[in-house]
Amino acid sequence: MKLACNALHSNISTSAYKYISIFIRAFICTSAYLHIGALSASAQNFGGNPPSLKWRQINTDTVRVIFPAGLETQGERVANIVHYLNQHTRNSIGNRQQKVNIVLQNQTLESNGYVQLGPFRSEFYLNPPPSPLELGSLQWDEQLALHEYRHVLQNMNFRQGISKAFSYLGGELGQAAITNIAVPNWFWEGDAVTMETALSPQGRGRLPAFFDGFRGLMLDNKHYSYMKIRNGSYRDYVPNHYELGYLMSVYGRTHYGQTFWRDVTTDAVRFRGVFYPLSQSIRRRTGYNITGFYKATMQEYQHEWQQYANRPAITPAKPLNAPSNIVTNYRYVYSAGPGQWVTLKSSYQRIPGFYLVDSTGHEQLLTRPGNSFDDFFTYNNGRILWTEARYNARWVWKDYSIIKLYDRASGHTATITHRTKYFSPDITNDGQSIIVAFTTPKQQYGLHLLNAHTGAVKQVLPNPENWYYSFPRFTADGQSVISPVRNRLGQMALVQQSISSGESTLLTPFSFNVIGAPVVAGDTLYFTGSWKDVNNIYACTLADKKIYQVTDRPNSILHGAVDAQQQQMVFSEFTTGGYKLYSTPLQASQWMPLDTAVDAHSVWLKPQLEESGNILPIVPHNDYPVKKYPQLTRPFNLHSWVPTFDDPDYSLTLYGNNILNTTSTAIGYTYNRNEGSSAIGANFLFGGWFPYLQAGVDYTFNRSALVKDIGRLYWKELDWHGGITIPLLLSSGKYGRSLSAGSNYHYLRSYPDGFKFRDEGIQYLSNTLVFNNQRIKAPQNIYSHFGQYLYLQYTHSIDEVPAEQFYGRFDLYLPGLFPNHSIVLQAAYQQQDTMQRYSFTDNFVYARGYNEPFYGHIYKLGANYHFPIAYPDWGFAQLIYLMRLRGNAFYDYSQAYNFRTKTSRRFASTGGELFFDTKIGNTIPFSFGVRFSHLLDPDPLEVTRNRFDFILPLQQLFSY
């Protein structure tokens, strides 16, 4: 009897590795800026800063600004702007008050920011964006303050009615969930972009490139439904919710008043009208539902854009590339000889690569770059230079941007620098020197002249005004550098700087017109600028510093290059099929002189938004006391209740995180459907040191087992556990890599009800190693074309109770027959002791269609072929939107060894899976499916050989 009971006695406690995943960003509002390079990063990183970083704070009744020592100036400026915004810009959103924490991050080169609930805080990533075309040229900490504090005010004022009730039921994440259902993401971001535009001399609402997407749809006569615009597409280019939101926001303010959206969102978060409350509120005030309101907005703006596009002065140009049904981007282009061009090409099916393109449209892949913070590159005399992202293995916030060089003659790629923070390198004609823009964690900027072979710094060019340099370029003689720069006010100008003397000369006056990457061709400089309603190519003749407009196109140009021998210009222009290359004759006689003092923008690019106007010069300067901010301030900081559905376990957990995100707390209740048992537990995780430290306790009651000839037996369990985990980020080049190793100690004791176990307790160690290596993938790719996932776990007792289990799993990702097809091969093995004195948690994934067999050891081999079927881009009633239908054909082969009969038994199956990739309520990504399994061998517990299963991962709804 005792042996039988022990055979059913299994561990249900949760290891520290599981708790690493508790940083649930359920319906978090909002990442304020889309990352503009190839790198994707999450909004928050647990334990991402080294403990050597010393934190300071400015603490007022309105805001606590937390920043690394040395950034007192930035911290004080952010605090002053926030106070002004809190006092003077509430009329259009509401008057509710709540203090917020803002953390300034200076170790990362990502240009971003966000506000979240759970806990209520904001983070600013202080490095300015290398390119000003999409995000502007304002002082970055000021633009972040204008944009992000609007999100703060939104969250404060959306805590009303039903949303307030959910904040009591689910905490801050409960409020975030319900308000993101009530208020669409386009309003969160559109309203914030409106404010950064209304309260500054620039903002994205005054940048021509910000409107390229919707303007491109108009030019191509594409009229997408509101649901498609809201949810996006794997097949077609769709403008993002920032652009949609700004247009809708301004249209509402212009036609219905400054407080229109305040009243609409108040109705929405109070759920005045249970279904589609925001749409119902708009209908009551305008007569339009949300779809009609969207159409009215588009009609107004399209009229303006169409008038501009129909002007007779449009520069004629012919496409250099053959038409494609796949969205394909050719970003940045350089002359590589007569009729040849080097460009950066990517598509919805292929990852970025540098290609050689000729005048016939023929393309040759040269090499592929890796992940970067900025996708800009340069080319000169057979050499391609670009930057790639690198990371500190442990401290995720501490990253770098290094220089890579590809030589066409040798086909060799070299790494020129290490652990640097560089952008936009250029190389001299002789290949001996590199000029590059640098940034430092203390917000110091400038230019370094490097040895092109060793990467050593040869010279630091003077920068007394601390201008932010973008895209520095050598002049033809290599004696000077020309670069767009941004001053402290956020204005831009072109500057020529002598390398020998360091003296700088302005080529253009400072203004809020943004300037893109220049190209030097002899004594003429070509560059992209925003002086008109779209970005065009302009030229500066260096001898007399005169500015001319070279192109006049219906939509924005990103970059252009000149073939001097053939007197031809090729440029990259935005279309709904991606950035395309166009060629046009280079005719200097037709260039139009540009008067840089004239504001030639149309009225829609100069919005009057009835706010305070440009507040940046009038924000008062208050001297706030600066104090230390200890890393362990408020270590528990409980903020949210979150449900978890991981069948057969269902739980409700109270989560907490400190503001610096170095501690995490989880206190919860779990119900196991199979046993009918319940558990309460608490866990604490600290990520401020090199290893994560974890400690916790779980108490389970009503554990039970049905024993033959005896009946059901019940017992309780108490599990104390603690351990360490070392998470390492090893990403580089085209691969994202991570390695995690951990060991956890458990002391588990059982309390039987009316009977005795042979062993009343056990002490054991659970050791885990996880390695993941994935090549970056294109938007349509279902899985990476090359990747590996390895999971190893060895759990064993360390006392007199004999118990052990080893589990290993390896997944290999390979390309299929077509670009979006994937082969996934799987192998798994598990062995457990045969004493059956104690059984550990079973993580093995069995052959599909079978129940769990009896075994001492088991292995499984699996083959999967994943493929897309269709991209419907179809939705129903704003409730569900189907983006992609995909399939998987599989074969599983497994052998289980029965230690009692000394025989192995085969379990093989084949079948198919059908998956639906959807958006629920225009908000939540949700993939579900159905599986058919044909069993090639009999199941020990069932007669049928054919099984249907629904794949319904409900937890997706709570982990977005």
Side-chain angles (χ1 to χ4, degrees):
M1 181 185 73
K2 293 178 181 177
L3 286 174
C5 291
N6 278 303
L8 296 168
H9 185 174
S10 63
N11 166 41
I12 66 167
S13 66
T14 307
S15 70
Y17 184 76
K18 175 181 177 182
Y19 280 98
I20 294 174
S21 66
I22 68 175
F23 313 109
I24 296 176
R25 295 167 59 200
F27 311 101
I28 288 175
C29 159
T30 57
S31 180
Y33 292 94
L34 292 180
H35 185 62
I36 59 176
L39 183 73
S40 175
S42 64
Q44 53 179 320
N45 289 309
F46 183 72
N49 282 306
S52 59
L53 201 62
K54 305 304 179 185
W55 294 92
R56 302 291 185 263
Q57 64 173 317
I58 292 173
N59 191 11
T60 74
D61 59 349
T62 300
V63 63
R64 177 188 282 111
V65 183
I66 305 165
F67 49 88
L71 295 185
E72 286 75 11
T73 299
Q74 289 81 1
E76 194 167 66
R77 179 61 171 167
V78 169
N80 277 298
I81 292 175
V82 164
H83 270 265
Y84 188 92
L85 295 172
N86 185 65
Q87 295 169 10
H88 300 287
T89 65
R90 287 176 161 274
N91 187 49
S92 58
I93 195 67
N95 294 315
R96 285 172 170 76
Q97 292 281 354
Q98 187 177 352
K99 185 175 177 177
V100 68
N101 293 282
I102 298 176
V103 181
L104 308 185
Q105 298 283 2
N106 73 332
Q107 300 294 302
T108 179
L109 293 175
E110 184 181 357
S111 305
N112 214 321
Y114 73 92
V115 174
Q116 74 165 38
L117 290 173
F120 187 34
R121 67 173 180 179
S122 177
E123 287 192 327
F124 295 2
Y125 312 160
L126 292 180
N127 194 73
S131 171
L133 297 181
E134 290 89 357
L135 297 176
S137 59
L138 291 177
Q139 187 72 17
W140 189 236
D141 54 353
E142 296 179 347
Q143 186 170 354
L144 284 170
L146 296 178
H147 186 105
E148 299 301 339
Y149 195 69
R150 187 61 171 190
H151 289 315
V152 171
L153 294 177
Q154 291 166 347
N155 279 288
M156 289 181 192
N157 287 282
F158 289 172
R159 190 172 181 265
Q160 303 182 50
I162 298 296
S163 299
K164 185 175 183 179
F166 268 79
S167 74
Y168 290 122
L169 295 173
E172 291 179 344
L173 288 180
Q175 176 187 334
I178 199 67
T179 54
N180 275 266
I181 291 172
V183 179
N185 61 353
W186 59 256
F187 176 80
W188 295 89
E189 295 303 347
D191 179 56
V193 172
T194 299
M195 295 307 293
E196 78 180 49
T197 305
L199 302 177
S200 77
Q202 193 184 73
R204 275 171 281 186
R206 296 188 176 92
L207 299 179
F210 186 64
F211 304 92
D212 287 348
F214 279 105
R215 185 166 42 213
L217 292 180
M218 180 274 298
L219 292 171
D220 289 343
N221 199 30
K222 293 184 177 180
H223 304 284
Y224 294 151
S225 69
Y226 172 73
M227 284 197 74
K228 183 165 181 172
I229 292 291
R230 279 282 284 119
N231 294 286
S233 172
Y234 285 113
R235 181 183 61 199
D236 300 313
Y237 168 80
V238 175
N240 66 45
H241 56 289
Y242 290 76
E243 299 153 14
L244 170 66
Y246 176 79
L247 295 176
M248 301 270 275
S249 171
V250 173
Y251 180 83
R253 283 168 168 256
T254 301
H255 290 276
Y256 303 103
Q258 186 189 33
T259 63
F260 171 73
W261 289 112
R262 182 191 68 189
D263 300 334
V264 168
T265 54
T266 296
D267 287 348
V269 297
R270 287 181 171 274
F271 281 81
R272 290 172 175 159
V274 176
F275 298 104
Y276 318 121
L278 183 123
S279 181
Q280 290 192 45
S281 181
I282 290 176
R283 183 192 289 273
R284 286 193 295 270
R285 288 173 166 79
T286 70
Y288 295 117
N289 63 9
I290 189 63
T291 301
F293 192 88
Y294 160 71
K295 290 179 179 179
T297 300
M298 291 300 105
Q299 287 173 1
E300 179 161 305
Y301 278 96
Q302 286 170 359
H303 175 73
E304 299 280 353
W305 299 331
Q306 193 68 61
Q307 281 188 323
Y308 187 87
N310 289 339
R311 291 176 302 111
I314 296 298
T315 303
K318 62 179 182 179
L320 195 64
N321 318 109
S324 174
N325 294 325
I326 306 300
V327 176
T328 304
N329 291 298
Y330 296 84
R331 289 174 61 88
Y332 302 108
V333 59
Y334 295 90
S335 175
Q340 290 188 321
W341 313 87
V342 172
T343 185
L344 177 64
K345 176 187 175 182
S346 64
S347 76
Y348 278 17
Q349 290 188 347
R350 305 283 187 181
I351 66 173
F354 297 118
Y355 285 78
L356 181 67
V357 181
D358 64 26
S359 56
T360 68
H362 177 264
E363 300 179 355
Q364 175 190 348
L365 175 64
L366 301 177
T367 189
R368 296 192 187 276
N371 272 326
S372 67
F373 296 102
D374 177 42
D375 65 355
F376 179 78
F377 78 99
T378 190
Y379 175 85
N380 192 357
N381 279 351
R383 304 175 186 91
I384 301 175
L385 273 82
W386 70 96
T387 58
E388 288 188 3
R390 292 294 186 269
Y391 304 89
N392 183 284
R394 171 59 183 87
W395 311 111
V396 181
W397 280 131
K398 197 169 185 177
D399 49 45
Y400 309 96
S401 182
I402 66 168
I403 299 176
K404 303 283 287 188
L405 184 149
Y406 171 80
D407 190 327
R408 282 183 61 193
S410 65
H412 177 66
T413 299
T415 300
I416 305 300
T417 66
H418 302 270
R419 299 175 70 86
T420 52
K421 294 179 181 284
Y422 287 154
F423 289 105
S424 308
D426 190 30
I427 193 166
T428 51
N429 292 329
D430 60 9
Q432 298 303 308
S433 297
I434 291 173
I435 194 72
V436 65
F438 73 85
T439 181
T440 73
K442 291 187 177 181
Q443 311 301 291
Q444 295 297 310
Y445 316 117
L447 297 177
H448 279 172
L449 185 69
L450 308 180
N451 182 303
H453 303 287
T454 66
V457 178
K458 297 166 60 175
Q459 185 178 343
V460 181
L461 273 65
N463 184 19
E465 301 295 330
N466 199 30
W467 288 335
Y468 186 85
Y469 286 79
S470 302
F471 317 118
R473 291 290 159 268
F474 284 109
T475 53
D477 59 9
Q479 300 303 306
S480 299
V481 175
I482 297 176
S483 177
V485 298
R486 308 173 210 178
N487 64 17
R488 184 65 181 81
L489 299 176
Q491 298 170 318
M492 294 197 72
L494 279 168
V495 172
Q496 182 171 348
Q497 188 168 13
S498 169
I499 293 176
S500 58
S501 68
E503 182 181 356
S504 295
T505 303
L506 286 178
L507 301 178
T508 65
F510 277 102
S511 75
F512 288 104
N513 292 297
V514 295
I515 300 173
V519 172
V520 178
D523 63 350
T524 304
L525 179 74
Y526 299 88
F527 59 95
T528 310
S530 68
W531 278 272
K532 300 292 180 68
D533 284 7
V534 303
N535 292 338
N536 272 292
I537 299 292
Y538 296 85
C540 174
T541 50
L542 299 179
D544 55 14
K545 300 181 181 59
K546 290 184 178 181
I547 309 297
Y548 300 89
Q549 182 175 348
V550 178
T551 65
D552 190 355
R553 296 292 295 167
N555 214 351
S556 287
I557 294 174
L558 174 68
H559 189 237
V562 170
D563 182 344
Q565 294 187 28
Q566 297 190 357
Q567 286 296 291
Q568 182 186 25
M569 169 174 281
V570 168
F571 54 84
S572 172
E573 179 179 318
F574 184 84
T575 74
T576 54
Y579 283 94
K580 302 298 184 184
L581 296 180
Y582 292 86
S583 65
T584 188
L586 193 64
Q587 299 174 315
S589 61
Q590 297 185 9
W591 295 354
M592 297 295 296
L594 177 70
D595 186 348
T596 57
V598 174
D599 187 347
H601 295 126
S602 297
V603 173
W604 64 272
L605 266 179
K606 298 184 286 187
Q608 301 298 319
L609 298 171
E610 298 184 30
E611 295 287 348
S612 303
N614 180 16
I615 69 166
L616 297 179
I618 63 174
V619 170
H621 177 78
N622 296 310
D623 292 321
Y624 295 107
V626 176
K627 299 181 180 179
K628 291 183 178 180
Y629 186 80
Q631 188 185 62
L632 280 175
T633 301
R634 297 189 66 187
F636 301 107
N637 195 31
L638 301 173
H639 54 75
S640 302
W641 290 96
V642 177
T644 302
F645 300 90
D646 189 13
D647 191 64
D649 291 325
Y650 302 85
S651 64
L652 182 64
T653 306
L654 176 61
Y655 288 115
N657 301 83
N658 68 338
I659 299 303
L660 288 180
N661 209 19
T662 56
T663 66
S664 182
T665 305
I667 304 170
Y669 165 82
T670 299
Y671 174 76
N672 182 278
R673 181 178 60 83
N674 288 346
E675 290 189 351
S677 62
S678 297
I680 55 175
N683 197 83
F684 182 78
L685 185 66
F686 176 66
W689 293 341
F690 189 82
Y692 289 174
L693 305 180
Q694 177 265 340
V697 60
D698 298 299
Y699 182 70
T700 307
F701 46 95
N702 286 336
R703 293 216 59 197
S704 67
L706 187 62
V707 180
K708 186 178 180 181
D709 300 328
I710 296 178
R712 185 167 295 277
L713 302 178
Y714 292 88
W715 71 94
K716 303 179 182 65
E717 282 183 353
L718 180 64
D719 182 10
W720 296 91
H721 47 86
I724 64 171
T725 301
I726 300 175
L728 300 176
L729 180 65
L730 307 175
S731 299
S732 65
K734 297 183 290 293
Y735 290 88
R737 300 186 187 94
S738 63
L739 176 66
S740 176
S743 182
N744 287 276
Y745 165 81
H746 289 256
Y747 175 75
L748 188 147
R749 187 169 180 82
S750 303
Y751 301 94
D753 185 5
F755 67 98
K756 286 188 177 182
F757 283 123
R758 177 175 177 180
D759 305 304
E760 294 185 349
I762 184 174
Q763 299 181 65
Y764 66 90
L765 289 177
S766 179
N767 308 295
T768 304
L769 178 72
V770 183
F771 174 73
N772 192 24
N773 178 49
Q774 300 287 326
R775 186 174 183 256
I776 58 176
K777 63 187 186 75
Q780 286 185 357
N781 299 162
I782 298 174
Y783 293 108
S784 171
H785 282 183
F786 187 67
Q788 304 83 39
Y789 172 79
L790 175 67
Y791 182 94
L792 300 175
Q793 185 178 52
Y794 178 57
T795 307
H796 63 96
S797 63
I798 55 175
D799 56 17
E800 67 278 4
V801 180
E804 67 173 349
Q805 178 177 282
F806 172 80
Y807 171 65
R809 173 178 174 175
F810 178 72
D811 295 348
L812 176 64
Y813 296 84
L814 299 170
L817 297 176
F818 298 96
N820 294 323
H821 292 207
S822 292
I823 297 172
V824 183
L825 305 178
Q826 299 170 314
Y829 176 82
Q830 184 163 283
Q831 179 175 339
Q832 55 194 8
D833 69 276
T834 59
M835 297 294 291
Q836 295 190 298
R837 298 268 291 275
Y838 187 83
S839 296
F840 296 107
T841 300
D842 186 0
N843 293 317
F844 196 82
V845 180
Y846 298 94
R848 278 163 279 198
Y850 289 95
N851 293 289
E852 177 184 348
F854 181 80
Y855 63 91
H857 63 258
I858 188 173
Y859 72 86
K860 189 195 91 166
L861 302 174
N864 301 266
Y865 192 89
H866 294 269
F867 53 94
I869 298 173
Y871 303 97
D873 287 350
W874 177 86
F876 172 72
Q878 314 295 329
L879 294 176
I880 187 169
Y881 183 79
L882 181 58
M883 300 183 67
R884 178 170 60 190
L885 186 65
R886 54 186 170 91
N888 175 40
F890 69 84
Y891 173 76
D892 286 345
Y893 178 90
S894 182
Q895 289 268 9
Y897 176 73
N898 187 317
F899 64 89
R900 289 179 177 171
T901 63
K902 310 297 183 184
T903 59
S904 293
R905 185 168 181 176
R906 190 185 84 156
F907 298 93
S909 64
T910 187
E913 297 168 329
L914 183 64
F915 292 96
F916 302 85
D917 295 329
T918 73
K919 288 277 190 73
I920 302 295
N922 294 330
T923 303
I924 309 169
F926 185 63
S927 296
F928 63 93
V930 61
R931 175 189 298 136
F932 168 74
S933 304
H934 174 67
L935 278 57
L936 302 177
D937 301 291
D939 188 296
L941 300 180
E942 295 190 22
V943 177
T944 180
R945 291 289 188 95
N946 297 319
R947 293 192 60 177
F948 285 93
D949 298 288
F950 288 103
I951 306 169
L952 200 64
L954 293 178
Q955 188 54 36
Q956 284 186 28
L957 302 176
F958 296 90
S959 59
Y960 165 57

